[in-house]
Amino acid sequence: MEKSIGKKLFRGTLVVVIVGIMAKIAAFLSETILAAYLGTSYQGDAYYMVSSIQQVVYPMLSAGIWKVFLPIYKEHITKNEIDKAYRITNKAISFFTVVSLIVTILIMVLTGPLVSLVAPGFEGETRRICIILVRISAPMYIFIISSAVYASILQSHNKFFGSQIREVVSHIPTILAAVLFYKRFGVYSLAIALVIGGLVRLIVELPFVDWGYKYKPDLKFKNKEFGVMLKRLPSALISEGVTQLNTLIDKAMASTLPEGTISALNYGHRLMNVFSGLLSTSIATALYPQMIELIATKKEKEISDLIVKIINIFCVLMVPVTFACVLFRSELVSAVYERGSFDADSTVLTSGVFALYSIGILFIACNTVITNLFYGYGDTKTPMYISVANLLINVVLNLLFIKLWGANGLALATSLSAFITFFIRIFFIEKRIHINNKSILISFIKISVASVAACLTPRIIFNFYSANKFIVLIASGIIGVLIYLIMLKVLRVSELNEAIAIIKKKAKR
């Protein structure tokens, strides 16, 4: 069983990582093109506020559905109860289609109050444009919610490519709209592209559902098993919604700051997500179905060892990235965004936000995996309470820091709240399984020492010798990686030796 799960996890993670790289490339291409057209203007603020609403509602519904539907469906598939799996799927798709229609109608009817709530600082033309963009883009939720159910069943069948490729193609309409239609139709073409992107997200998944299942509408929701799923759903939705709401609150508060602040927060957060989201999301996505199998067979020791190993791997990958993002923040932001309407002033505004968001990437990644572990045990209430605590901590810190450091204070508050709630999650998960915190702490200290040496050395070198930003980034990356690997070897970080052993084994094969 352990070898089988290990192989599934490795293959699933590899597929999700590869497709994730494709998705990040598509997302960044989209972001850089949008930055060139929108810069940090009032139209950019209006569009990115609409995008922020979508980034709250979509992950909330998508992740909420994924975490309560997938365990039930996966259990039926494991027991070879195919008919029951299909019935619960038909009910889920039908139910969430109805929900998505209601959500769309509410958004279109209550657009004015919604914009006032999420962007209280918007006035005049910025507010008017934002209201129009919200109404235009509202129908996308009809497609993306159904897409979340199909993604869950694909992952239950270990079809990770089919479930993840949607994240690649969903960016294509935005890229085309910006390049082909923005000059003629302006920012409104980008809102239409969001709707088309939602439809494409769903359509691209359907050919991968190739094992005989065909959707049949089923509006008979009075079912014991479906009732269990619906009972767990509200707390899962609140948990995921609160997590995403933190970002929206940052931007709502930023709407009271000077023009361009919301755009800067968006660019900084997106750039941070490239470094934090790629591997962490890939591992968490591939890990969840396999984690459920271990929980079902009550292999607590294996689960504990797996969680410690994943956290240590996150440390190896993300601690040096954090130092690099802080020390090379200006070069990174400039290299990615500085063109067109995104000028040197935009780089200054965005780079500080980006650096302070980056402080929290390790804890955000670890929080995702630990939260999934709660869901694997069928516990949706504990992560909900922790998410609410995270929201309250973030709001308090936002109110304190925004007066001191403006947009930078909002980013710092997000990172600190992720740091605090990481330890809260560890405290509560240890009531179910033992976590070897000593092992994690020792690895973290060793990795931090290696990271400081790896990142500080090229930073000092290029402080004395000025060069083109692209040369600085490439040369610093090469120097930093070499120093980092040497330091990990000297400090005997076990994850490096295991990675080398895996590579050697694969090479021999």
Side-chain angles (χ1 to χ4, degrees):
M1 173 67 78
E2 290 83 353
K3 290 184 179 179
S4 175
I5 288 177
K7 288 180 179 178
K8 289 178 182 177
L9 179 59
F10 176 77
R11 291 171 184 169
T13 303
L14 183 62
V15 170
V16 179
V17 167
I18 292 172
V19 181
I21 291 172
M22 296 165 59
K24 292 299 180 183
I25 292 173
F28 249 125
L29 180 60
S30 173
E31 280 299 306
T32 52
I33 290 173
L34 289 177
Y37 284 102
L38 297 174
T40 50
S41 64
Y42 73 92
Q43 287 195 352
D45 285 352
Y47 173 77
Y48 286 122
M49 183 55 73
V50 174
S51 178
S52 297
I53 295 171
Q54 184 242 350
Q55 288 164 19
V56 170
V57 177
Y58 167 59
M60 178 181 72
L61 294 172
S62 179
I65 293 166
W66 180 62
K67 289 177 179 178
V68 299
F69 171 74
L70 188 147
I72 295 174
Y73 183 87
K74 180 72 174 179
E75 184 178 352
H76 285 314
I77 294 299
T78 302
K79 294 178 180 179
N80 203 33
E81 298 172 344
I82 305 302
D83 289 341
K84 289 184 178 180
Y86 288 175
R87 279 200 296 272
I88 196 71
T89 303
N90 289 334
K91 290 180 185 295
I93 294 175
S94 301
F95 176 78
F96 289 119
T97 298
V98 173
V99 169
S100 66
L101 287 169
I102 294 172
V103 169
T104 300
I105 292 170
L106 287 175
I107 289 175
M108 296 184 76
V109 171
L110 302 174
T111 311
L114 177 63
V115 171
S116 296
L117 177 65
V118 300
F122 278 5
E123 297 177 349
E125 187 67 6
T126 306
R127 173 182 164 79
R128 186 188 72 81
I129 291 176
C130 189
I131 289 174
I132 295 174
L133 296 180
V134 169
R135 285 176 177 157
I136 292 174
S137 61
M140 67 180 163
Y141 298 107
I142 298 172
F143 308 117
I144 62 179
I145 292 176
S146 295
S147 170
V149 180
Y150 277 103
S152 297
I153 65 176
L154 287 168
Q155 289 173 20
S156 294
H157 290 271
N158 296 313
K159 290 181 175 288
F160 290 100
F161 181 82
S163 70
Q164 296 303 115
I165 192 65
R166 63 188 179 141
E167 304 298 340
V168 179
V169 300
S170 63
H171 295 289
I172 295 176
T174 300
I175 294 171
L176 293 177
V179 174
L180 300 178
F181 303 110
Y182 182 84
K183 288 184 178 180
R184 183 174 180 182
F185 301 104
V187 73
Y188 305 111
S189 63
L190 303 180
I192 296 172
L194 290 175
V195 180
I196 298 172
L199 175 61
V200 172
R201 185 190 297 267
L202 172 62
I203 291 175
V204 77
E205 290 177 309
L206 300 181
F208 294 95
V209 185
D210 56 1
W211 55 85
Y213 168 74
K214 292 189 181 298
Y215 167 65
K216 295 179 181 178
D218 186 352
L219 299 175
K220 296 178 181 178
F221 302 134
K222 289 186 178 181
N223 174 278
K224 183 178 179 181
E225 189 174 47
F226 190 70
V228 171
M229 189 186 82
L230 292 184
K231 187 177 180 180
R232 294 176 179 174
L233 184 62
S235 53
L237 290 178
I238 292 172
S239 178
E240 294 303 320
V242 167
T243 300
Q244 302 302 324
L245 194 58
N246 275 322
T247 303
L248 192 60
I249 287 174
D250 287 354
K251 292 178 181 178
M253 290 187 174
S255 70
T256 64
L257 296 174
E259 178 184 304
T261 303
I262 292 177
S263 299
L265 282 172
N266 181 80
Y267 296 134
H269 194 267
R270 288 290 182 89
L271 184 54
M272 179 271 291
N273 274 336
V274 170
F275 297 102
S276 69
L278 182 56
L279 287 173
S280 63
T281 303
S282 302
I283 291 172
T285 300
L287 182 65
Y288 189 48
Q290 316 311 329
M291 191 187 293
I292 292 169
E293 289 188 26
L294 287 176
I295 292 172
T297 52
K298 298 181 179 180
K299 296 189 175 182
E300 294 186 1
K301 179 65 166 59
E302 287 81 354
I303 295 171
S304 176
D305 291 343
L306 183 60
I307 294 302
V308 171
K309 182 63 63 179
I310 293 299
I311 291 176
N312 285 340
I313 289 172
F314 282 160
C315 287
V316 169
L317 296 172
M318 295 180 182
V319 172
V321 167
T322 297
F323 282 101
C325 289
V326 172
L327 292 174
F328 294 91
R329 56 190 179 275
S330 296
E331 289 87 351
L332 284 166
V333 170
S334 178
V336 172
Y337 291 125
E338 195 171 309
R339 58 188 58 84
S341 297
F342 197 102
D343 56 19
D345 290 336
S346 300
T347 294
V348 172
L349 185 59
T350 302
S351 59
V353 170
F354 165 62
L356 291 166
Y357 270 137
S358 299
I359 293 173
I361 61 176
L362 171 63
F363 306 103
I364 292 170
C366 293
N367 287 341
T368 300
V369 172
I370 297 172
T371 298
N372 287 351
L373 188 56
F374 283 113
Y375 287 122
Y377 280 107
D379 180 1
T380 57
K381 290 187 177 180
T382 301
M384 178 187 71
Y385 295 141
I386 296 173
S387 294
V388 171
N390 186 35
L391 176 66
L392 295 175
I393 293 168
N394 187 55
V395 169
V396 171
L397 293 177
N398 274 345
L399 292 172
L400 291 173
F401 294 163
I402 192 173
K403 294 180 180 179
L404 297 172
W405 303 299
N408 290 345
L410 298 176
L412 179 60
T414 298
S415 294
L416 288 180
S417 60
F419 171 77
I420 294 168
T421 53
F422 166 71
F423 292 101
I424 296 175
R425 284 179 172 87
I426 289 290
F427 174 80
F428 282 102
I429 202 63
E430 283 197 318
K431 295 181 181 295
R432 295 186 176 275
I433 59 172
H434 172 69
I435 302 292
N436 190 344
N437 293 314
K438 183 178 179 181
S439 171
I440 295 173
L441 180 60
I442 292 172
S443 293
F444 177 78
I445 293 172
K446 289 181 179 179
I447 293 164
S448 296
V449 171
S451 300
V452 170
C455 297
L456 201 55
T457 302
R459 179 72 279 174
I460 292 173
I461 291 173
F462 286 105
N463 278 344
F464 286 103
Y465 301 98
S466 60
N468 177 274
K469 60 192 173 187
F470 294 102
I471 295 175
V472 169
L473 291 175
I474 294 171
S476 297
I478 295 171
I479 295 170
V481 169
L482 291 175
I483 294 174
Y484 186 58
L485 293 176
I486 292 170
M487 290 294 294
L488 290 183
K489 188 70 175 176
V490 171
L491 295 171
R492 298 180 181 178
V493 176
S494 60
E495 283 71 24
L496 176 64
N497 294 329
E498 291 175 11
I500 292 172
I502 292 172
I503 292 171
K504 287 181 177 179
K505 187 176 180 180
K506 293 295 180 183
K508 288 179 180 179
R509 288 183 179 180

